[in-house]
Amino acid sequence: YLPALAADWLQGPYLYKLYQHYRFLEGQIAILYVCGFASSVLFGLVSSSLVDRLGRKKSCVLFSLTYSVCCLVKLSRDYLVLAVGRVLGGLSTALLFSAFEAWYVHEHVERYDFPAEWIAVTFSRAAFWNNVIAVGAGATADFFAEWLGLGPVAPFMVSIPLLVLSGVFAVKNWDENYGKKRAFSKTCGDGLKCLLSDRRVLLLGAIQALFESVVYIFIFLWTPVLDPHGAPLGVVFSGFMAASMLGSSLYRLAISKRYHLQPV
């Protein structure tokens, strides 16, 4: 899981810079970003059903393959090819944040019958190392792109061996497991019913959607705002990730037994 996350984070600092390097206009770059976001939304709707039917292990291997192709197409300067790469990136992101966790939870509960309360500990540790890797990924991307002078495509190429490592590790060491096969229409129908029947769920969803919208706007704009001033993009990205890590730490501290700032 950690090499997969590292490969994902490595691609954050230089995506906009790469498209700019290929001489695309801001409007064209915006469309490429929208392709990726829209793909992530569409595949996110079906990813849980797809993962359960295909198998969690196979889905993790599929992730490593699709994301590797997504990275390889960054070598092309063809706009349509890059748009297809963004669609593949959306599919890969949906698989990354569903297949690995689903595989783990099934192994933990069904195969090994470990105590359920250990799951939270595992996810907490995974989140911590995810933050550490994100900070390191920014510095690593900067090293390959700027210090070695390999250009903005370099971090995407560096991601490929990590994706291959993740896929090979899953093939060699993991057992396959499957989820319950439910109709896609029923899954979506149940979710929609839950959303509309409880006002708190609807409000929470609306707040999160608005927040994510702001984050996506920020993701698109930070590079063209800072790059003209000569800011080292990888180091800046590491700063963002360190701030995110600090926020997570403050949240854990706030809800600890010492401060009891529990949400109600």
Side-chain angles (χ1 to χ4, degrees):
Y1 185 46
L2 296 180
L5 290 171
D8 185 48
W9 287 121
L10 272 170
Q11 300 173 49
Y14 284 93
L15 182 61
Y16 191 104
K17 179 80 170 179
L18 177 67
Y19 295 144
Q20 209 172 39
H21 178 70
Y22 289 160
R23 308 287 187 198
F24 293 120
L25 302 174
E26 186 178 21
Q28 294 173 307
I29 297 172
I31 292 170
L32 288 172
Y33 269 74
V34 168
C35 285
F37 294 151
S39 170
S40 184
V41 169
L42 291 173
F43 286 118
L45 284 171
V46 301
S47 62
S48 59
S49 299
L50 173 67
V51 165
D52 287 346
R53 289 173 179 272
L54 180 63
R56 279 73 177 260
K57 173 183 171 179
K58 291 190 189 75
S59 297
C60 293
V61 175
L62 177 63
F63 155 80
S64 68
L65 290 172
T66 55
Y67 222 9
S68 295
V69 174
C70 173
C71 292
L72 279 172
V73 300
K74 296 293 191 299
L75 293 168
S76 172
R77 292 173 180 261
D78 185 276
Y79 190 77
L80 187 59
V81 172
L82 291 171
V84 170
R86 288 294 288 162
V87 172
L88 283 175
L91 168 62
S92 304
T93 302
L95 290 172
L96 174 62
F97 294 111
S98 57
F100 286 88
E101 292 182 5
W103 179 88
Y104 159 67
V105 171
H106 184 279
E107 293 293 302
H108 183 108
V109 176
E110 301 293 335
R111 191 182 302 275
Y112 292 103
D113 194 27
F114 291 144
E117 55 267 25
W118 290 2
I119 293 175
V121 178
T122 303
F123 280 134
S124 177
R125 291 184 179 181
F128 171 79
W129 285 108
N130 182 28
N131 284 318
V132 172
I133 285 169
V135 173
T140 304
D142 192 78
F143 174 76
F144 282 98
E146 304 295 343
W147 283 63
L148 295 183
L150 298 176
V153 77
F156 298 92
M157 298 304 103
V158 175
S159 297
I160 295 173
L162 293 170
L163 293 165
V164 171
L165 174 65
S166 179
V168 169
F169 190 93
V171 168
K172 287 184 171 294
N173 295 284
W174 289 7
D175 295 314
E176 185 61 277
N177 63 55
Y178 298 87
K180 295 177 181 177
K181 294 180 180 180
R182 300 177 65 199
F184 173 67
S185 57
K186 179 170 174 54
T187 303
C188 284
D190 289 348
L192 189 62
K193 189 187 296 181
C194 176
L195 190 68
L196 297 176
S197 63
D198 191 332
R199 183 169 171 270
R200 295 171 302 169
V201 176
L202 186 61
L203 286 172
L204 181 61
I207 291 166
Q208 187 165 357
L210 290 169
F211 175 76
E212 291 289 341
S213 300
V214 173
V215 171
Y216 284 140
I217 293 167
F218 183 87
I219 287 169
F220 175 68
L221 288 177
W222 76 269
T223 303
V225 169
L226 295 179
D227 193 39
H229 302 285
L233 299 179
V235 176
V236 172
F237 184 84
S238 291
F240 292 150
M241 295 302 103
S244 176
M245 189 175 179
L246 178 62
S248 298
S249 300
L250 288 173
Y251 173 73
R252 283 197 295 272
L253 183 65
I255 63 170
S256 66
K257 292 179 180 179
R258 184 177 178 182
Y259 293 102
H260 293 290
L261 296 178
Q262 296 291 340
V264 294

